[in-house]
Amino acid sequence: MQILTGRRAVGTVAVLTSVALAGCSAGSSTGAGEGEARTDVVVGLTGEPTNLDFTTTSGSAIPQLLMNNVYEGLVTIDQEGAVQPQLAESWEVNGDRTVYTFTLHDGVTFSDGSRFTADDVVASIDRVKEDWTLSLKSKMDVVAKAEATSDTEVAVTLKRPSNAWLFDMGTSVGAMFPDDLSADLATEAVGTGPYTIEEVATGEHITLAARDDYWGETSAIEDITVRYFADANAQANAVRAGDIDMAYNLQTPDLLAGLEQNEELQVIDGTSTGEVLLALNNTEPPFDDLRVRRAVMYAIDRQAVLDTAWAGHGELIGSMVPPTDPYHQDLTGAYPYDPDQARELLEEAGAEDLSITFDVPTRPYAEAVAQVVVSQLQDVGIDATIVPAEFPAVWLDKVFTKHDYQMSVILHTEARDLLTIFGDPDYYIGYDNPQLAEVAQEADRGSPDEYVAGMQQVARMIVDDAASNPLFLFPNTVVADARLTGIAANATTESMDLTGLRWSDG
């Protein structure tokens, strides 16, 4: 991990001060005298959550804000992608790897004052299985039962051994809620984390306040204001002007060069689990034809897409498996750029002079990528007409929920989401390969080596079927005040972890 000031850096995150929201000029201190460190931070994002309930509402914006900051799990995923204890101080696994016994930290309370116990763990796991409406709930299908053996011990029995389940518990499906939850999660968040939701100003900002009764280490930052901008240019202008302290997941690669020259800022390219996917609806013509899907694969020069649309920031991956996953393999050569091969496949399929609609969410990366993709498809005889889809409301309803589209492009940020996207034929991609589920399940129950080999086979099956086109791995670019430290810039899950932020003395 390298951190540079006033130049490109790799591996951290930043925050800048807001005159309007913090009530002070950039560089001044809220609640701090001369020589004292600031205790407030203003973060800038695009893509505002539609509500606070990630159990029934799709999209990464909600868990991005809430996980680790407001909600916690038994375990968490660190900056290197490894599982670490969180609400569980330790755990043991039985000989056949089907029973996990977690010992919980004592003295933990929820933000509503109730005590966190094993009963809450049982209820939270059951709630995923019974009440969640998102496809992510399938990550808990492997659980047979969860039982509280004491207030501070819980035993989770799996239907079979699983290499994936403990990692999944470090993502949003592992969030802990009170067992007698009565709050409307769309408007109220009740977690064990170091912050609570203090204010939601729709279309403007969400404010987090540090808890005085938090069970863990006291946060150095008492107040965090997350401002939501309509577009990435406004976000970049705000960080340049010092109106915010940190621009997280900044999506303006063309403006980075200017920001890198500012000695008062740090620019960081963290890694992520976010894949920019050219999504093909496998259930609708023309993409119900394997030959047409493969034609699209050959027609797209992914390096040119990355260089033109995103100034070379990011990484080619070849499949929906980023390098941080244990079963990553280099599949970037599976479909080399070959327009002639694309034309031959289209002719074979009787799909010359093809016209399709291209539903593009109103996100900077998607709009930039779409222009390049349309041009490249035109070269092989595919006329793609862009239909803007307001994100998140319209895109989630039309494309994701109703599957009313032919082709789209979207950033999938969930960690280890290969099976979420391609393992369910009812998912919006519509990919249906019965053999895939069998191979994946055998891999999950096998040894660690068998897990890697099996999941690599799964990835190859999806690529061979050209289910959709993973264009590139999205960078998690952060621009921050150079004095801000403790930035967690690697997005190893959906979470934007703000818990380590603090101001340096310099």
Side-chain angles (χ1 to χ4, degrees):
M1 181 180 295
Q2 179 186 14
I3 301 175
L4 303 177
T5 301
R7 296 175 296 280
R8 175 146 307 280
V10 179
T12 346
V13 174
V15 192
L16 302 163
T17 332
S18 164
V19 175
L21 295 176
C24 56
S25 62
S28 68
S29 303
T30 297
E34 185 175 352
E36 296 180 5
R38 285 177 53 191
T39 59
D40 69 303
V41 160
V42 183
V43 181
L45 285 172
T46 58
E48 181 182 11
T50 54
N51 60 59
L52 301 178
D53 184 5
F54 56 75
T55 75
T56 61
T57 307
S58 300
S60 62
I62 309 173
Q64 178 186 60
L65 174 69
L66 299 184
M67 285 305 298
N68 289 310
N69 304 314
V70 175
Y71 290 106
E72 295 175 314
L74 298 181
V75 298
T76 188
I77 310 302
D78 68 17
Q79 285 286 283
E80 306 304 318
V83 177
Q84 300 292 346
Q86 196 168 56
L87 291 173
E89 63 179 26
S90 64
W91 60 88
E92 296 179 353
V93 187
N94 72 339
D96 67 0
R97 298 165 48 225
T98 59
V99 180
Y100 285 73
T101 302
F102 295 92
T103 300
L104 310 179
H105 283 286
D106 200 6
V108 177
T109 59
F110 288 97
S111 56
D112 65 0
S114 61
R115 182 185 173 210
F116 169 71
T117 71
D119 289 335
D120 302 306
V121 178
V122 173
S124 296
I125 290 174
D126 289 345
R127 188 173 289 114
V128 175
K129 295 167 68 67
E130 297 168 4
D131 298 335
W132 281 47
T133 62
L134 307 183
S135 57
L136 287 174
K137 67 180 295 182
S138 64
K139 293 179 180 292
M140 210 67 80
D141 287 349
V142 72
V143 174
K145 62 179 178 179
E147 298 176 293
T149 55
S150 75
D151 278 357
T152 57
E153 187 174 275
V154 60
V156 180
T157 302
L158 306 185
K159 299 174 184 176
R160 54 173 174 77
S162 172
N163 289 285
W165 179 75
L166 188 63
F167 180 94
D168 291 338
M169 287 295 288
T171 68
S172 58
V173 295
M176 294 292 113
F177 300 87
D179 66 337
D180 59 349
L181 182 65
S182 59
D184 179 359
L185 293 180
T187 58
E188 184 179 358
V190 184
T192 61
Y195 292 96
T196 60
I197 299 291
E198 184 173 76
E199 181 184 32
V200 176
T202 302
E204 296 180 5
H205 67 271
I206 296 176
T207 304
L208 306 180
R211 290 178 53 189
D212 294 332
D213 60 344
Y214 178 57
W215 65 274
E217 183 178 350
T218 302
S219 301
I221 303 300
E222 297 176 1
D223 300 288
I224 299 176
T225 298
V226 180
R227 289 183 59 187
Y228 290 96
F229 293 89
D231 57 64
N233 286 332
Q235 183 191 22
N237 290 335
V239 76
R240 180 190 294 112
D243 291 336
I244 59 175
D245 300 309
M246 178 172 86
Y248 188 82
N249 195 216
L250 185 63
Q251 298 182 18
T252 54
D254 53 324
L255 299 180
L256 285 178
L259 295 172
E260 289 166 358
Q261 301 306 313
N262 189 330
E263 293 295 326
E264 296 182 353
L265 300 175
Q266 54 183 315
V267 179
I268 306 149
D269 265 351
T271 189
S272 83
T273 58
E275 306 99 345
V276 178
L277 183 69
L278 186 64
L280 309 177
N281 190 340
N282 286 219
T283 66
E284 294 291 333
F287 299 119
D288 55 349
D289 190 319
L290 173 60
R291 295 166 297 184
V292 177
R293 297 199 303 272
R294 284 180 172 169
V296 170
M297 300 292 281
Y298 284 116
I300 302 300
D301 183 345
R302 285 177 284 191
Q303 186 64 57
V305 172
L306 180 61
D307 292 342
T308 305
W310 222 241
H313 293 267
E315 181 179 355
L316 299 184
I317 47 177
S319 72
M320 293 290 283
V321 183
T324 49
D325 286 354
Y327 43 88
H328 173 263
Q329 59 191 318
D330 185 2
L331 296 177
T332 54
Y335 294 96
Y337 176 54
D338 190 341
D340 290 336
Q341 180 68 22
R343 295 186 191 98
E344 289 179 14
L345 285 166
L346 291 171
E347 182 179 0
E348 181 183 333
E352 305 100 318
D353 300 319
L354 188 63
S355 294
I356 63 171
T357 56
F358 188 6
D359 287 84
V360 178
T362 53
R363 301 290 287 147
Y365 71 87
E367 293 166 333
V369 163
Q371 297 299 326
V372 185
V373 167
V374 166
S375 176
Q376 293 183 350
L377 291 180
Q378 186 68 51
D379 288 343
V380 301
I382 300 177
D383 181 18
T385 300
I386 292 177
V387 178
E390 181 188 354
F391 189 88
V394 174
W395 190 91
L396 285 176
D397 178 60
K398 184 175 186 287
V399 177
F400 188 81
T401 302
K402 296 178 179 175
H403 309 175
D404 180 18
Y405 79 105
Q406 290 179 299
M407 185 172 76
S408 189
V409 60
I410 196 67
L411 174 62
H412 281 276
T413 61
E414 292 82 5
R416 302 192 185 179
D417 53 6
L418 183 68
L419 296 177
T420 302
I421 297 169
F422 299 107
D424 180 2
D426 292 328
Y427 200 64
Y428 83 103
I429 298 294
Y431 176 65
D432 188 2
N433 184 340
Q435 185 186 359
L436 184 142
E438 297 175 11
V439 175
Q441 191 170 110
E442 284 302 311
D444 194 31
R445 72 164 75 239
S447 68
D449 287 344
E450 290 170 335
Y451 177 58
V452 169
M455 289 304 295
Q456 287 181 339
Q457 181 182 350
V458 166
R460 287 193 299 270
M461 292 166 65
I462 295 166
V463 171
D464 288 346
D465 286 341
S468 282
N469 194 339
L471 298 174
F472 60 91
L473 186 69
F474 204 71
N476 192 53
T477 302
V478 181
V479 181
D481 189 304
R483 300 165 297 172
L484 193 65
T485 65
I487 297 168
N490 291 337
T492 54
T493 66
E494 315 101 302
S495 170
M496 174 183 64
D497 189 346
L498 305 174
T499 62
L501 293 179
R502 65 178 60 243
W503 291 100
S504 66
D505 295 333

